[in-house]
Amino acid sequence: MAEQTASTMDFNLDGAPVQEETATIERCLSFQVDDLVLFLSTNYIVEIVNDYPITPLPMVPSFVKGMINLRGQILPVLDIRLCMDKPPAEYTGKTCILRLDLDGVPLCIIVDSVCQVLDVNLQSVRPIPVKRQQKLLNGMIDLGNGNVIMSFDCNVLLEKRY
């Protein structure tokens, strides 16, 4: 992952100035899954795909929605809602497929909607309280306005611990 050291002109998500020697800023994409807003590094994202046909597969777990043929590359598609034990939802015009490259492993995930690109100070990411821990999440950031966004752990997808 590419990280950069922030200058003294940068600010945390909570508006506090970032100290030059301790701040590592990562460009991240935020997206929604059920009632959660999550983020992950844009270094993992190859592209965002809308309204693309998914070919279902027999005898796979319910969270594996199938495969897509994207410009000749056959890619598996996982529904993150179902991976997180959330109730299924009907796909809408806001539903997106995020094509990821996880250390050379191509994979697609379905999310409810894409929110925005953020510069996240990695020093601001805090552990999730034990009572609130969820599958596929490894940290959280308080935005300072009462909203919290969660860090999506792509490595768990590869380790199949969900």
Side-chain angles (χ1 to χ4, degrees), residues 5-152:
T5 302
S7 70
T8 54
M9 298 302 290
D10 289 326
F11 296 88
N12 287 334
L13 290 175
D14 62 5
V18 174
Q19 298 299 318
E20 185 171 342
E21 60 276 359
T22 62
T24 51
I25 305 298
E26 185 84 25
R27 174 85 15 136
C28 296
L29 178 73
S30 63
F31 55 94
Q32 189 155 357
V33 175
D34 196 34
D35 59 347
L36 297 173
V37 177
L38 313 175
F39 70 93
L40 72 108
S41 172
T42 57
N43 292 328
Y44 292 119
I45 299 170
V46 176
E47 66 183 303
I48 300 170
V49 181
N50 292 323
D51 196 28
Y52 207 83
I54 300 171
T55 304
L57 296 172
M59 301 184 301
V60 294
S62 63
F63 60 83
V64 178
K65 298 316 286 182
M67 307 291 273
I68 62 172
N69 182 344
L70 195 58
R71 292 179 293 287
Q73 187 174 19
I74 307 299
L75 302 165
V77 180
L78 308 179
D79 189 323
I80 293 305
R81 264 182 171 269
L82 302 178
C83 290
M84 297 176 75
D85 296 327
K86 301 284 186 184
E90 189 172 321
Y91 299 150
T92 69
K94 291 185 176 184
T95 304
C96 295
I97 297 173
L98 303 182
R99 179 179 170 205
L100 307 177
D101 182 339
L102 306 179
D103 298 324
V105 178
L107 179 70
C108 294
I109 61 173
I110 299 172
V111 300
D112 294 347
S113 64
V114 170
C115 301
Q116 64 181 334
V117 175
L118 303 167
D119 288 328
V120 174
N121 178 359
L122 298 180
Q123 301 296 328
S124 298
V125 178
R126 300 290 175 242
I128 298 171
V130 175
K131 286 191 228 177
R132 306 263 318 170
Q133 284 191 347
Q134 300 255 345
K135 294 178 179 180
L136 297 170
L137 306 178
N138 63 355
M140 62 184 216
I141 294 179
D142 183 348
L143 296 179
N145 59 2
N147 294 325
V148 173
I149 60 175
M150 307 290 200
S151 174
F152 184 76

